[in-house]
Amino acid sequence: MGGTFTDFVLDDGERLHVGKVPSTPRDQSEAVERGLIQLDVEPRRVERFVHGTTVATNAVLERRGARTVFVTTDGVRDLLEIARQNRPNLYDLFADRPEPLVPRDLVVEAAERVSAEGDVIRALEDPAKVAARVRALSPESVAVCLLFSFLRPDHERAIRDALEGLPVSLSSEVLPVFREYERANTTCLNAYVGPVISRYLKALSERLHAAGLPVEPEVMRSGGGTFTASMAAGLPVHTLLSGPAAGAWGAAAVGAAAGYPDLIAFDMGGTSTDATLIEDGRARTSSEGEIGGLPFAVSSTEIHTVGAGGGSIAWRDSGGSLRVGPRSAGADPGPACYGLGGTEPTVTDTYSALGYVDPGRRLGESIDLDVEAASRAIERLASSLRMSMKETARGIVSVTESAIAKALRVVSVERGRDPRRYALLPFGGAGPLHQGPLSRALQCPVVIVPRHPGVLSALGLLAAPIAVDVARTRVLDLGMATAGELEAAWAELEKEGRDLLSRQGIEASIVTRSADCRYHGQAFELEVAADEVASPDSLSAAFHAAHRDRYGYSQAEEAIEAVTFRVRLEGPVPGVSGSSGRPTADPSPRRESRTAVIDGVEQDCAVYERDTLWPGFTFEGPALVESLDSTCLVLAGQKVEVDEAENLIIREG
């Protein structure tokens, strides 16, 4: 579900069917129902239903979550207020920090204390008294994070038992790792969005089951993979990056199948653009995420987002410069060209003004383009800038592409990766229109445009297995630890993960072990993948290599600590039909021509219907390739070949 469109992919075992409907921000489940009608789905025949949602994300960004009370250890009431010492902006002494999700007057202190070794220094006071102070604040949800509770969760569990009838999130279950601020904030995020997403998933499930759906919906996790709606309702913090993660993992699947496991991918939708780096066929993940300036520490896909999407509004700043975004027209009223009441110029409006989209074509089979409304919106901005309408339209595109190029460099160059060694994979409704300038800016040798770029995130949902991530802090000096101690730490987590999978009716087929390691005295760690049979020596060698890769050096003489152990378990990877189901009677591509402004010059370019391009077919730019879900602009000097999976493989001539 995007800010502008909700995308669908139906796999019937023989072919893929795609659909798009406008998003319904007030109740996202309405768009789901409309999409099922558009695709003519028989719910009773559905064997699997997977969902990428932005409900939790929006609840945090718009501060529409539940009234949450935070319970913590006596003496650390200001934990959320103090946070960390790092400033939002290094050189701005007056930069504002984001307000905590739980204000100070909704914090309750519990008299108790556990040591850093897990010993009880002070027993928990009567849990009923703690519960009484919590209930007096009329909470809708409760977050409990006591010091070192990941070593001894008894006190947190006793408080939850005393709060029977209220939704309670325990840090010892949500995130049993050290660093009290990140653990507390993650637990508060889980409690804050819990009632919101629980109500939404319940309403969605009831709507689908009433229509005849026989299976429980699954939800995409921020770190890749899915989990059932009932489990997502209990751990909603894992859905904060649900939508963007689906796109990243869909891009990884397409790239690997096409023979390009190393990618720089970007998803340009209606509201924003998400950039991610993919290596060895898997999107990079991290245990350090952030949303609305607030940290969370559950596994999530590494994504860099900029406010440059098709619906981003262009405007003139106080200095007379042209700016684009981050404000977006969204789905309601949307860009001016949608004809739904929008009057401000957006990036999408420039596509019609520059001739990139067919004015007679419907977007998502539901929106008729109003080219005149788009031109009027751009002309008003052009007048204030003292530029022509087409100059302004080209300027809007250039500013947008500069913002996206910067995001692509953040996930590649700024992480020590040379873009010239990666393929570029643009997707989203607008992504392929910008592939040419961006691939040239980064000097990527090849561009892969998927068969259905506008709905690749939805396709990524179908390609994702059910998965769980479990972690727990246990500090071990690798110079003194034994292989048995490492194995015991991972084996305990693996058992917990298998139990979580079995509750969802799945057996693990892939088990991945890792550990967060650091040199003694360092303040931050690097996650290091571990072999199936790992020893302290092999884990140390892997950490030295990871440190060199990230920072350019290693310190072989320094002691290494393994701090947090992690295990990821995945069920069987679902197969997805590769065929688009096109008729095979006529092998000739459908070709027309249209005048468009390309590289600042009006020129005639070929226009191809994507559904008529066969594997093996080649052509050169300038050209436009149109489909239901997206349009691709091929620049002069670029050559295109359609591969066996019907991807467009684009290279410089």
Side-chain angles (χ1 to χ4, degrees):
M1 285 185 160
T4 306
F5 282 105
T6 295
D7 306 333
F8 297 82
V9 172
L10 169 68
D11 182 3
D12 66 9
E14 297 179 357
R15 56 174 291 197
L16 296 176
H17 310 257
V18 302
K20 267 183 177 290
V21 300
S23 294
T24 51
R26 293 180 183 86
D27 182 359
Q28 292 189 358
S29 63
E30 290 182 15
V32 174
E33 191 169 47
R34 293 178 188 175
L36 296 179
I37 294 172
Q38 183 188 92
L39 288 178
D40 195 23
V41 176
E42 293 183 52
R44 62 180 178 81
R45 296 183 58 197
V46 173
E47 298 174 359
R48 187 171 186 237
F49 184 96
V50 196
H51 180 32
T53 176
T54 57
V55 170
T57 311
N58 294 340
V60 176
L61 295 178
E62 299 170 13
R63 295 298 177 105
R64 293 187 295 101
R67 177 181 171 87
T68 302
V69 168
F70 175 49
V71 181
T72 190
T73 300
D74 184 29
V76 292
R77 177 178 183 175
D78 296 310
L79 175 60
L80 298 178
E81 296 279 351
I82 295 173
R84 294 293 178 200
Q85 293 183 25
N86 45 316
R87 297 201 296 263
N89 188 308
L90 182 60
Y91 300 107
D92 185 357
L93 300 180
F94 303 99
D96 292 327
R97 293 179 181 272
E99 291 291 329
L101 290 177
V102 181
R104 192 172 186 272
D105 58 354
L106 292 182
V107 177
V108 170
E109 295 175 280
E112 66 88 45
R113 190 60 185 264
V114 171
S115 74
E117 289 72 37
D119 300 322
V120 176
I121 297 175
R122 182 182 184 185
L124 175 67
E125 65 173 299
D126 184 355
K129 293 182 178 179
V130 179
R133 296 198 296 272
V134 171
R135 292 183 189 278
L137 297 173
S138 304
E140 296 175 306
S141 186
V142 180
V144 183
C145 180
L146 306 179
L147 291 183
F148 300 107
S149 59
F150 56 89
L151 296 174
R152 185 180 287 271
D154 315 26
H155 292 178
E156 287 193 350
R157 292 172 180 170
I159 293 173
R160 178 177 58 188
D161 292 344
L163 288 168
E164 185 178 1
L166 281 172
V168 181
S169 298
L170 304 184
S171 71
S172 53
E173 295 178 356
V174 174
L175 188 67
V177 302
F178 79 149
R179 290 207 169 94
E180 70 281 1
Y181 171 60
E182 287 78 7
R183 181 161 54 95
N185 206 68
T186 303
T187 307
C188 285
L189 279 165
N190 195 78
Y192 186 74
V193 302
V196 177
I197 200 165
S198 180
R199 286 193 297 267
Y200 167 69
L201 290 176
K202 181 181 179 182
L204 175 66
S205 298
E206 289 177 349
R207 187 180 289 235
L208 292 173
H209 289 149
L213 188 80
V215 296
E216 183 179 9
E218 297 171 29
V219 180
M220 188 72 182
R221 298 162 52 94
S222 300
T226 68
F227 53 171
T228 59
S230 57
M231 188 160 287
L235 291 170
V237 72
H238 287 277
T239 70
L240 288 173
L241 297 179
S242 172
W249 290 85
V254 168
Y260 297 93
D262 297 328
L263 305 168
I264 300 172
F266 72 95
D267 175 7
M268 186 176 181
T271 306
S272 61
T273 294
D274 300 317
T276 189
L277 187 72
I278 295 165
E279 295 180 311
D280 296 327
R282 294 184 73 86
R284 290 173 62 98
T285 59
S286 171
S287 58
E288 299 175 5
E290 185 179 284
I291 182 168
L294 299 171
F296 62 94
V298 297
S299 178
S300 57
T301 306
E302 286 191 358
I303 292 170
H304 183 72
T305 301
V306 291
S312 294
I313 294 171
W315 51 287
R316 175 185 181 275
D317 69 13
S318 58
S321 298
L322 174 63
R323 304 284 295 275
V324 180
R327 194 162 60 90
S328 173
D332 184 12
C337 65
Y338 285 8
L340 300 175
T343 58
E344 296 181 282
T346 68
V347 178
T348 297
D349 292 316
T350 68
Y351 301 152
S352 57
L354 296 175
Y356 297 164
V357 295
D358 182 356
R361 194 181 191 90
R362 307 188 85 189
L363 292 180
E365 294 187 346
S366 60
I367 295 178
D368 294 307
L369 286 178
D370 188 339
V371 178
E372 292 184 1
S375 297
R376 287 194 301 270
I378 297 173
E379 283 173 352
R380 283 192 291 271
L381 176 61
S383 177
S384 69
L385 293 169
R386 298 181 181 179
M387 297 167 63
S388 71
M389 189 270 288
K390 290 193 174 178
E391 284 176 333
T392 303
R394 292 201 307 271
I396 293 171
V397 171
S398 295
V399 171
T400 302
E401 288 172 347
S402 294
I404 298 174
K406 182 178 180 180
L408 298 180
R409 291 189 178 97
V410 167
V411 301
S412 57
V413 177
E414 293 187 15
R415 293 176 183 168
R417 301 297 191 267
D418 186 348
R420 293 173 295 183
R421 301 178 61 182
Y422 293 76
L424 183 69
L425 195 150
F427 64 105
L433 276 167
H434 301 274
Q435 61 81 22
L438 292 172
S439 65
R440 289 175 175 176
L442 273 72
Q443 300 181 48
C444 294
V446 63
V447 178
I448 306 166
V449 180
R451 174 66 184 87
H452 296 293
V455 295
L456 186 65
S457 292
L459 184 62
L461 297 174
L462 285 184
I466 287 183
V468 298
D469 294 285
V470 286
R472 185 162 289 109
T473 289
R474 182 181 179 187
V475 181
L476 291 177
D477 184 333
L478 293 183
M480 302 175 64
T482 65
E485 288 177 307
L486 298 183
E487 174 61 28
W490 278 311
E492 180 183 354
L493 294 176
E494 186 174 328
K495 181 181 183 302
E496 182 181 335
R498 289 185 184 278
D499 290 342
L500 290 172
L501 277 182
S502 66
R503 284 165 50 187
Q504 301 174 81
I506 296 293
E507 292 290 331
S509 60
I510 299 175
V511 179
T512 306
R513 294 176 168 185
S514 63
D516 294 355
C517 299
R518 66 187 181 189
Y519 290 122
H520 182 72
Q522 281 186 320
F524 296 97
E525 302 78 42
L526 289 176
E527 184 177 353
V528 178
D531 299 328
E532 187 174 344
V533 181
S535 67
D537 288 343
S538 65
L539 193 59
S540 296
F543 173 72
H544 287 311
H547 201 279
R548 282 195 301 273
D549 182 62
R550 175 67 65 89
Y551 300 113
Y553 72 96
S554 61
Q555 296 175 298
E557 70 284 356
E558 290 291 335
I560 300 173
E561 294 176 325
V563 174
T564 298
F565 291 81
R566 302 180 185 276
V567 174
R568 178 180 176 88
L569 300 95
E570 298 178 3
V573 178
V576 179
S577 300
S579 171
S580 62
R582 294 184 290 106
T584 58
D586 182 6
S588 60
R590 191 179 306 156
R591 184 182 187 280
E592 301 173 354
S593 63
R594 187 162 69 239
T595 299
V597 179
I598 302 176
D599 290 332
V601 179
E602 281 194 358
Q603 50 189 297
D604 289 332
C605 64
V607 180
Y608 295 96
E609 183 67 37
R610 183 73 186 259
D611 285 346
T612 67
L613 300 185
W614 292 81
F617 179 69
T618 61
F619 62 96
E620 298 181 10
L624 289 160
V625 183
E626 298 181 333
S627 61
L628 164 72
D629 56 298
S630 184
T631 298
C632 177
L633 172 61
V634 182
L635 301 182
Q638 290 187 315
K639 293 186 176 182
V640 185
E641 179 181 2
V642 184
D643 72 4
E644 289 301 315
E646 301 177 36
N647 302 308
L648 302 183
I649 307 299
I650 306 174
R651 295 182 173 87
E652 291 294 330

